[in-house]
Amino acid sequence: MHRLYTSVCVAALLLAAPSFAQASTAPAAKPQAPTSPPTPPKPATPSPMKLAAEKTQAALQKVPQARPEDVKTQDGLLAALYDSISGPAGKPRDWQRFRSLFYPGAQLASVQRTKPGGPPGVAPITADDYAAWGEEFFKTHGFFEKETHRQVAGYGDLINVLSAFETRETPESAPVARGINNVQLIFDGQRWWVLHIAWTDEKSAGAPVPATFTRK
């Protein structure tokens, strides 16, 4: 009984097991393709406005401390602007005071014609550029610039000033040039700043300063 049962079990196993030939012809399992690592998300592009704001805040920390009376009012700011660049030849100007008047990124632009009737040329510079030029120029040149009249227009905290000027080599000498400074000012809630200055004179403009800008 036991031998018969064993024989039957062996026969059953042989019938159930595949032959070598059958095993060799069975399809092989397909290898799985390697899994690629997940693509990292692209970093967000910084906002140009945000970058500009951060740059400006950093630059504000480097602006020289202004005299309170220079930046409390529009009148004080314009008076300081003229005073800081005026003086006799050889007298060092207070360039830290000059720089303290300008908001970071402010530009100064002279509008000049190299020849009568030619196109105007514009050469924007920074307050630092002007200081570097003036430091050498004023060693040998007297320069006094005085406001003669002013027209003001504004909206909110933005102010545009057309400031007529005369320049002299000494306070008592005749004017060597007359023109108009176009000065843009801004109030930040604490003080006034110069945002931009563009200027031209009668020679470059090809016309005298209008009568409305003459001293009364």
Side-chain angles (χ1 to χ4, degrees), residues 126-156:
T126 66
D128 285 340
D129 294 331
Y130 187 93
W133 167 82
E135 189 168 0
E136 293 300 318
F137 181 81
F138 295 142
K139 286 180 180 179
T140 55
H141 294 79
F143 182 85
F144 293 83
E145 187 166 285
K146 182 178 181 180
E147 184 182 49
T148 59
H149 193 71
R150 186 189 305 173
Q151 288 184 357
V152 180
Y155 177 76

Side-chain angles (χ1 to χ4, degrees), residues 6 16 22 26 29-30 32-33 39 42 51 56 76 102 105 112 114 127 130 142 146 151 155-158 177 188:
T6 301
Q22 288 176 329
K30 294 183 178 180
Q32 293 184 349
T39 303
K42 293 183 179 180
L51 291 176
T56 299
F102 291 85
Q112 305 289 334
T114 56
Y130 187 93
K146 182 178 181 180
Q151 288 184 357
Y155 177 76
D157 296 317
L158 300 174
D188 69 355

Side-chain angles (χ1 to χ4, degrees), residues 44-59:
T45 303
S47 166
M49 299 299 288
K50 182 179 180 181
L51 291 176
E54 292 173 350
K55 182 179 179 181
T56 299
Q57 289 302 312

Side-chain angles (χ1 to χ4, degrees), residues 55-67:
K55 182 179 179 181
T56 299
Q57 289 302 312
L60 281 169
Q61 304 303 314
K62 300 179 181 179
V63 176
Q65 185 69 35
R67 300 180 184 180

Side-chain angles (χ1 to χ4, degrees), residues 70-210:
D70 285 351
V71 297
K72 185 177 180 180
T73 64
Q74 299 172 38
D75 287 341
L77 184 60
L78 290 166
L81 185 63
Y82 281 108
D83 186 55
S84 62
I85 61 175
S86 297
K91 178 184 178 181
R93 306 307 195 257
D94 188 345
W95 294 118
Q96 288 296 84
R97 182 189 184 194
F98 177 78
R99 291 184 177 95
S100 75
L101 308 177
F102 291 85
Y103 201 79
Q107 290 189 321
L108 302 86
S110 174
V111 182
Q112 305 289 334
R113 283 181 168 83
T114 56
K115 59 181 181 180
V122 183
I125 59 174
T126 66
D128 285 340
D129 294 331
Y130 187 93
W133 167 82
E135 189 168 0
E136 293 300 318
F137 181 81
F138 295 142
K139 286 180 180 179
T140 55
H141 294 79
F143 182 85
F144 293 83
E145 187 166 285
K146 182 178 181 180
E147 184 182 49
T148 59
H149 193 71
R150 186 189 305 173
Q151 288 184 357
V152 180
Y155 177 76
D157 296 317
L158 300 174
I159 301 295
N160 191 79
V161 179
L162 294 178
S163 176
F165 67 83
E166 293 177 345
T167 61
R168 293 173 168 81
E169 294 180 350
T170 69
E172 299 79 20
S173 62
V176 296
R178 292 185 176 89
I180 292 179
N181 289 312
N182 185 2
V183 188
Q184 294 178 352
L185 309 179
I186 185 172
F187 185 69
D188 69 355
Q190 301 293 327
R191 55 159 289 180
W192 286 95
W193 297 87
V194 175
L195 273 181
H196 181 76
I197 303 177
W199 69 91
T200 192
D201 56 25
E202 292 179 330
K203 181 179 179 181
S204 296
V209 173

